[in-house]
Structures are given as structure tokens and as C-alpha cells.
Amino acid sequence: MKILAIETSCDETSAAVVESAKDNSHVKLLSNVVASSMSLHAVTGGIIPEIAARNQIHHIIPVIHEALEKAGTSFNSTHSPVIDSLAVTFGPGLIGSLLVGVETVRTLSYIWGKPLIPVNHLFGHIYANFIETIEKPSETIPFPLIALIVSGGHTDLLYMKSHSDIIWLGGTRDDAAGEAFDKIGRLLNLPYPAGPLIEQHAKVGNPKAYHFPRPLMYDKAYDFSFSGLKTAVLREVEKLKNDKGNSLPLKDICRGVQDAISDVLVYKTLKAAEEFNVHSILLSGGVAANQTLRNKFQEALNTNTKLFVPQKSLCTDNAAMIGAAAFFRNKVVRWHDVSANPELYFD
Ligand code: KG4
Ligand code: ZN
């Protein structure tokens, strides 16, 4: 089975073709094209929804063409591509951006007569772990498992007994982990998105210079909160500004911030893994591209649990993960009944 998937929930415009791998435990990546308007947002320090959507309208058809061609098929006004199904992110996300993908795919489903699978972007992130690429051969992922989604918009912990039996355990009460990286980055005058830059600076930062708060770390609930961390950094930056002559110890602050965020994520995820006695832990979302976080998880694991992380390029938003989620959670919906839902969460 071959799926053409589209993702336009935030600032990326992406199309990918995935195909079921032999034993149906993974999907094989045939193509994954991502056009980003990130450089436009770096200037403004964050995403401006209308600029993102206008850019996506411009990119959507060329990106679909390129993804199909790379996967060995194509389309024109007289023939449709050789695929079995279409998939699209229908939420959560920015309404203007979601509409670009959803309306394009509804039209293609109608004119090509292909089934359409609407996908929750958050499940998409988790299913990046089920993609087999040349760089990352597939490895069986044993259930039950705990999945941690850490992206710019979300921090969620889920208990998955199977592909269809899923319990949401908790999420962020305020800022998401990626959002905390980005907002703290702005306080430190780093361009958007700040996560990868904070990771770079933290590599040479002194781990003992700052100990920022680890919000809700020992709380019984599986919820997260990162806005207090941002306030603690703001206070520190203001103090340093008032002490004239002091330059900002950027690397040390970055190290302190990254340690605080990763300690909370690792501690709570491992606590859930122990409580539910799972075989696997799956990381996903843009923040899961952070190598220090990956290493911390690996070091903290017990011998009965295996850690799975997507290839780094598949942690941030992409259509391949949407194709993978569509394959495993295959729920075809008539094109008339698919609509964008910016507030979508877990049912
Ligand atoms: O999953 P994603 O592409 O978008 C959403 O669905 O939100 O995640 C983007 C987020 C941004 O907040 C970015 O700063 C963060 O992922 N990020 C990182 C790293 N790479 C991306 N955060 C920390 N370390 C990284 N290496
Ligand atoms: Zn995302």
C-alpha cells in the first residue's frame, strides 16, 4: 500500500510517499519533501500565521509534484499518480495553514477518486518512530509502550497498549517544551527557533553555574509546566543586566535551561514506563532531535525497556510521519466529511 501524505499544520509545507514494509510493522520512506518558511519567521522572532499560510499556498503543488516524482510516479491533467491512498493533517495547528493542506487533499481525493485518511498531527509525531529509511533500518517496536511528544506546541505523555488502545496520561499546563526553548531563546536574543541553538551553546556551558527550577517534576500527575522556568531565566537575565559590566553568560544559562527541561522529561517519562511496566519508550517531536536529551534517556533506562527515537530530520514537522500514522491508524473518511480542526487534541 502506497500513501501520499501532506502536512501543513504550522510553517512547513511537506509531502511524502510511504509504502508498507514487508511485515507491516513499519512503513518504508519513498520520498519526503519539506519546504519551510522558517527564514521568514527567524526575522520576526516567531511564526506569523498569515505569512506561513501565504507561503504554503505557493509551495503546496510543487512540493506534491516533487514528492511523487522522487517516489517514481507523477500526475498531470489526464492521469493520476500510482498511489493507493491520500493522508492529510487536519489538526491541531494554525487554521490558515491547515486549510491549505486539507482543501488541496480534499480536491485531489475527489478528482483522483482515492480514499482519504485524516491524521491528528500529534499521532503523526509518534509514528515517525515507525518509518524505515536508508539511514535507519527498522527495528521491531514492542508494545505496550510510553510515547512522549515534545514539540513546539505540545508536551504529551501517552500509554499505548496497541495501535488502537491508547490512554493519554498528561500534558503541559502552560508552555510546551519547545515553546520554553524558543521563548527563553528570545530572552537571550537568539533567533527563532532557539532549541537547536540552545543545544549548541549548552555543549560548552558549565553544568554547575545555574540550577533552574524543575517544575512539577515530582508531582503525582503526568502533567508538565515550563512557564516558571522561563520566569526564572528572565529574572536572572534582568539581574545580570543591572550588574553593569557583566556580559551574559549565554553558554552557562543555555546549559542550565537544557538540563532543567531534560531532567523533567526524562524523570516523568521513566516514572510512567515503570508504573505501566512497558517494553518501549518512544520519543518524538522537534525537541526529540536534541542529542543531549536522547543521551540522557539512554543512560537512565533500565534493562527491560528499549528506547526508540526517530531519525533527527523526522522529529520536526514532516509529511512522512503523517503517512506512517495514516497507515497504522487507517481510518478512511469521505472527502466531504474532512475539515480542518485547529483545536484538535486527543479523544
Ligand atoms: O515538532 P516541531 O517541528 O513543531 C511542532 O509541531 O511544534 O517542533 C519544533 C520545536 C521548536 O520549538 C524548536 O525549538 C524545537 O522543536 N527543537 C529543539 C531542537 N530542534 C528543534 N529543541 C531543542 N533541541 C533541539 N535540537
Ligand atoms: Zn509538530
Side-chain angles (χ1 to χ4, degrees):
M1 164 146 156
K2 260 188 207 170
I3 301 176
L4 167 64
I6 311 295
E7 153 66 38
T8 63
S9 67
C10 195
D11 61 319
E12 270 91 12
T13 311
S14 179
V17 181
V18 299
E19 182 178 41
S20 45
K22 270 187 212 118
D23 61 356
N24 281 346
S25 68
H26 281 73
V27 295
K28 209 193 293 173
L29 186 63
L30 300 187
S31 66
N32 185 39
V33 179
V34 184
S36 173
S37 55
M38 196 73 89
S39 55
L40 300 175
H41 305 301
V43 182
T44 50
I47 292 168
I48 300 193
E50 191 181 328
I51 292 183
R54 280 172 184 261
N55 216 267
Q56 285 162 320
I57 289 171
H58 181 70
H59 283 302
I60 186 89
I61 297 297
V63 160
I64 292 173
H65 262 292
E66 192 181 335
L68 287 168
E69 263 165 28
K70 284 190 169 152
T73 181
S74 63
F75 71 94
N76 61 25
S77 54
T78 56
H79 76 265
S80 50
V82 183
I83 52 159
D84 301 291
S85 193
L86 288 153
V88 68
T89 302
F90 73 109
L94 303 169
I95 183 64
S97 295
L98 288 167
L99 281 171
V100 176
V102 168
E103 293 311 313
T104 303
V105 176
R106 270 160 48 104
T107 308
L108 295 179
S109 170
Y110 169 67
I111 56 176
W112 292 344
K114 305 277 183 196
L116 171 52
I117 306 167
V119 174
N120 179 332
H121 178 83
L122 300 171
F123 280 120
H125 274 302
I126 296 174
Y127 278 90
N129 282 287
F130 291 83
I131 301 172
E132 177 188 320
T133 64
I134 295 166
E135 296 86 1
K136 191 172 177 287
S138 68
E139 234 184 310
T140 305
I141 300 179
F143 285 88
L145 59 86
I146 292 291
L148 173 70
I149 307 168
V150 269
S151 71
H154 291 85
T155 303
D156 289 289
L157 208 48
L158 294 101
Y159 170 42
M160 296 177 64
K161 295 185 205 171
S162 69
H163 288 295
S164 55
D165 192 351
I166 300 170
I167 298 166
W168 177 83
L169 300 177
T172 186
R173 293 184 185 169
D174 40 58
D175 292 347
E179 194 177 359
F181 273 112
D182 296 338
K183 286 183 173 170
I184 290 169
R186 204 178 309 170
L187 297 176
L188 301 173
N189 289 324
L190 296 173
Y192 175 87
L197 297 165
I198 291 182
E199 177 176 18
Q200 288 311 315
H201 289 301
K203 277 188 188 145
V204 281
N206 175 2
K208 297 208 169 82
Y210 290 100
H211 186 87
F212 291 119
R214 271 90 170 133
L216 296 183
M217 181 144 137
Y218 301 112
D219 194 87
K220 270 210 303 267
Y222 285 113
D223 283 348
F224 300 87
S225 163
F226 293 109
S227 74
L229 172 62
K230 183 185 60 196
T231 313
V233 176
L234 174 65
R235 261 193 240 116
E236 194 54 44
V237 170
E238 279 173 349
K239 205 169 83 192
L240 287 160
K241 271 188 196 155
N242 290 336
D243 298 344
K244 286 202 185 82
N246 269 349
S247 62
L248 199 67
L250 182 65
K251 296 174 171 57
D252 295 344
I253 296 178
C254 288
R255 176 65 193 249
V257 166
Q258 183 174 269
D259 282 352
I261 294 177
S262 52
D263 277 358
V264 175
L265 296 175
V266 172
Y267 184 84
K268 301 206 85 151
T269 307
L270 262 62
K271 188 175 147 231
E274 199 173 306
E275 180 181 340
F276 294 95
N277 200 14
V278 297
H279 297 310
S280 315
I281 292 176
L282 270 56
L283 305 188
S284 64
V287 179
N290 186 296
Q291 190 59 47
T292 315
L293 179 68
R294 291 170 174 236
N295 295 347
K296 267 196 183 175
F297 265 103
Q298 197 61 59
E299 285 155 18
L301 275 187
N302 72 35
T303 48
N304 306 323
T305 321
K306 234 176 147 196
L307 179 71
F308 293 89
V309 287
Q311 187 178 307
K312 282 188 186 172
S313 61
L314 297 177
C315 285
T316 44
D317 291 350
N318 66 86
M321 68 187 200
I322 303 304
F327 177 74
F328 289 102
R329 300 174 52 77
N330 193 339
K331 190 171 171 255
V332 173
V333 175
R334 285 186 327 157
W335 68 265
H336 330 61
D337 299 326
V338 177
S339 54
N341 180 357
E343 309 299 334
L344 183 71
Y345 202 31
F346 296 107
D347 351 287

